[in-house]
Amino acid sequence: MPRKKKTETPTQTEPVEKRKPGRPKKTEAEKALKKEAPKSDEYEALKEKLFMQNKHAEFSMSVSEITKSNLFCNGYKQFLDNAKTEREAVNEAVRIARTFGYEPFDRKKKYAAGDKIYHVNRGKAVIFASIGTRPLTDGVRIVASHIDAPRIDLKPNPLYEDCDIALFKTHYYGGIKKYQWTTIPLALHGVVVRKDGSTVDIVYGEDEREPKLYISDLLPHLAKDQSSRTLSGGILGEELNIIVGSRPVKNEKLGDKVKLNIMRILNEKYGIVEEDFLSAELEAVPAFKACDIGFDESMIGAYGHDDRVCAYTSLMAQMYGVNNEYTSICVLADKEEIGSVGATGLNSDYIKNFITSLARPYGLDSYDVLENTVCISADVSVAHDPTWASVTEKRNAAQLNRGVCMTKYTGAGGKSGSNDASAEFCGKIRRMLDNAGVVWQTGELGKVDQGGGGTVARYVASMEIDVIDMGIPVLSMHSPYELVAKYDVYMAYKAFLAFVAGGELK
Ligand code: MN
Ligand code: MN
C-alpha cells in the first residue's frame, strides 16, 4: 500500500521550514565565510593580509638604504664620542646646526618661513626651530628627546685622602645598577665656576694617552660578606668612590700629602682651588668610545644611547627636513633621567615660553599655536633580550632590527605616570610611518607589574598637546655600555623626518 502523502493543514499561514528540527539556521557570517572561503593554497596570502607583519628590517630595506643606514650610523658614533654630557651634546648639536644655517634666537624678531633658529637653555638644553610655510596657528611639529644620561656626579666637597690614596666622593645620577660602574675606565667631564666668576671646561680621560679614573671593587677571594648582599646592594652609593691618585708631595711630615699633590695638579691644569668644587658640575662617565658590535657590524655599543640616539636622529631630521609646511621644533632636553625637573627639564615651561615668543610678533599667544600642535616624545625603548626573556612579554616587546618602536603608553603598575596616546593619534602616526616606508614596530616597557618607567611625554602632554612615544630599542639600558641596532637608528631618523617634513597628519 502506498504511503499516504502528508498534506499541510489549511489553517497554517506561516511557511514551514524545510529542515530537520534541532539544526540551527546559518548566520550571515557563516554564509559569507562559506561563499568566500579560500582554497587551501590561498591561506598564505590571507595570512599576509590579515596578520600584523613584523619582520627584520633587512627584508624591507634596499641595498642603497642599507648603505645609507651604515653611513648615518658613522655620523652617530662620532656624535656620541663628542657628546658625553648634556652640555657637550648642546655644543655639538649647535655646532652641527650652524653648518645648516641655524642662528641664535632673538625674542624680539618676527620670523618668517625658511628661518632657522636655535635657543640654548642654560647650556644644558636646546631648542631648534625651522619656520614652516603654514601659519603658526596650524600648529607646530615637536620632536622632544633628552641628552642627559645616567652617570656618576662628584659631590660638592669631593676630594679626600685615605691610606695614601686620593679619592672623589660621588653621588650617582639617574637609575643605575651601581656594581656596573666599578672597575671600568672613567673620564671626567664638566664645568667649574671659579671664585672670580670665570668658568673652566674640563674633559679629562678621553684622549687615549690620557690617564683615566677608576672605582674599585672587592676581589672575589675576600668577597664572602659582599656576596651575601643583594644585587642592588652589591655596591652601595657611598662605595662609589673614584680613585684619582696615589703619589704624595715630597714632604713626609705633611698630612694629606697625596690630596695636596692632586690639588696642585688640578690647580696647574685648570686654575682651580678646592673650594671651587662647590660651584662645579663634574660628571664621571665611561671612557669608552662608541664602536660596532658583532662580526656582522650590525650593532653599536656606546655609553649614553639613552637618549642621545633619539637626540641625534631627531636633530638630523630637523636639519634635513627643509622647506617644511609646518614649523618644526627639535628639543634636546636635560634632567629627564631624574624626572624632567629643574629649569632645563621639560617639566619647566621653556618650550611654551619659546613658542610664545615665536607667536607674539604675530599678535598670537601660545594657546593659538599649541591647539593644533603635535609631538613625538623621542626616547629609547627596551629591546627584548633573549637572555633575560622573562621580563618582557614577547608579543608586546620591541626587538632589535625590527625598526623604530612606537609606544602607546609607558608608566608602571596600572599605566601610572603614562601619557597613553589616543587611538586617533596612534592611527595618524601609523599611517604616516607606513606612507614614508618606515620599518616600525610596537613595544611596551616590560611585562605588566615588572617595573616600568616614563619619558618626557607626560610633560609635553600637560600643555594639551597630542604626544606619542617613539624611539630605538636598546639592550642593557642605563649600563655604562648600551647596545642598539643600526637599522633601528636609521629607521628612527626616517620616522622623525616624515613627521617634521611631512604634510597633514590624517
Ligand atoms: Mn630615556
Ligand atoms: Mn633613561
Side-chain angles (χ1 to χ4, degrees), residues 53-54 402-406 430 433-434 438-442 491:
Q53 300 295 313
N54 184 14
R402 298 202 170 197
V404 64
C405 176
M406 178 172 111
R430 220 185 117 183
L433 295 173
D434 286 340
V438 176
V439 180
W440 65 279
Q441 57 183 328
T442 184
M491 286 302 157

Side-chain angles (χ1 to χ4, degrees), residues 63-81:
V63 176
S64 86
E65 202 164 38
I66 288 172
T67 310
K68 274 189 210 162
S69 156
N70 286 332
L71 285 174
F72 185 87
C73 285
N74 288 343
Y76 172 49
K77 282 182 279 182
Q78 223 163 41
F79 177 79
L80 281 170
D81 292 342

Side-chain angles (χ1 to χ4, degrees), residues 206-405:
E206 286 297 340
D207 192 305
E208 267 171 42
R209 291 153 299 178
E210 211 166 28
K212 317 286 179 237
L213 308 180
Y214 183 86
I215 298 173
S216 64
D217 193 2
L218 208 47
L219 65 169
H221 317 65
L222 295 179
K224 187 169 165 284
D225 291 345
Q226 188 197 26
S227 300
S228 64
R229 296 182 183 179
T230 59
L231 186 65
S232 66
I235 295 287
L236 300 173
E238 292 294 354
E239 290 165 347
L240 289 172
N241 302 318
I242 302 177
I243 295 175
V244 298
S246 64
R247 180 182 287 173
V249 291
K250 273 200 194 307
N251 181 333
E252 274 197 71
K253 287 180 212 140
L254 209 65
D256 282 345
K257 300 179 273 292
V258 180
K259 174 179 169 177
L260 179 62
N261 194 36
I262 294 298
M263 213 49 246
R264 182 186 62 80
I265 293 167
L266 292 177
N267 182 263
E268 273 172 22
K269 211 170 164 58
Y270 304 112
I272 59 173
V273 296
E274 188 179 19
E275 210 181 326
D276 292 335
F277 283 121
L278 296 174
S279 51
E281 282 175 6
L282 290 168
E283 310 172 2
V285 298
F288 314 130
K289 302 269 185 253
C291 78
D292 286 352
I293 299 284
F295 291 116
D296 56 7
E297 303 170 16
S298 60
M299 297 163 283
I300 302 170
Y303 162 65
H305 282 312
D306 176 11
D307 184 32
R308 288 172 200 137
V309 68
C310 292
Y312 183 74
T313 46
S314 63
L315 178 72
M316 286 301 112
Q318 174 77 21
M319 294 302 119
Y320 285 103
V322 286
N323 305 321
N324 301 338
E325 272 185 55
Y326 292 89
T327 294
S328 61
I329 292 182
C330 169
V331 185
L332 310 185
D334 181 31
K335 297 280 191 285
E336 192 277 342
E337 294 296 359
I338 57 168
S340 295
V341 291
T344 51
L346 274 190
N347 203 9
S348 124
D349 278 341
Y350 70 90
I351 294 186
K352 202 174 186 173
N353 293 343
F354 178 78
I355 288 174
T356 305
S357 303
L358 277 186
R360 197 181 286 134
Y362 288 92
L364 305 167
D365 69 26
S366 66
Y367 178 75
D368 299 313
V369 183
L370 293 176
E371 198 182 4
N372 292 314
T373 289
V374 285
C375 173
I376 288 179
S377 158
D379 206 344
V380 295
S381 167
V382 61
H384 177 78
D385 186 337
T387 305
W388 301 96
S390 66
V391 302
T392 41
E393 190 263 292
K394 221 173 169 180
R395 281 171 200 81
N396 287 284
Q399 283 194 52
L400 287 188
N401 284 306
R402 298 202 170 197
V404 64
C405 176

Side-chain angles (χ1 to χ4, degrees), residues 103-111 117-122 125-127 131 136 329 343 348-364 366:
E103 285 179 0
F105 177 53
D106 177 354
R107 282 195 194 281
K108 292 181 196 96
K109 220 169 142 183
K110 188 175 184 176
Y111 288 100
I117 44 186
Y118 67 90
H119 175 56
V120 175
N121 180 356
R122 293 162 175 80
V126 59
I127 297 176
I131 310 300
L136 286 170
I329 292 182
S348 124
D349 278 341
Y350 70 90
I351 294 186
K352 202 174 186 173
N353 293 343
F354 178 78
I355 288 174
T356 305
S357 303
L358 277 186
R360 197 181 286 134
Y362 288 92
L364 305 167
S366 66

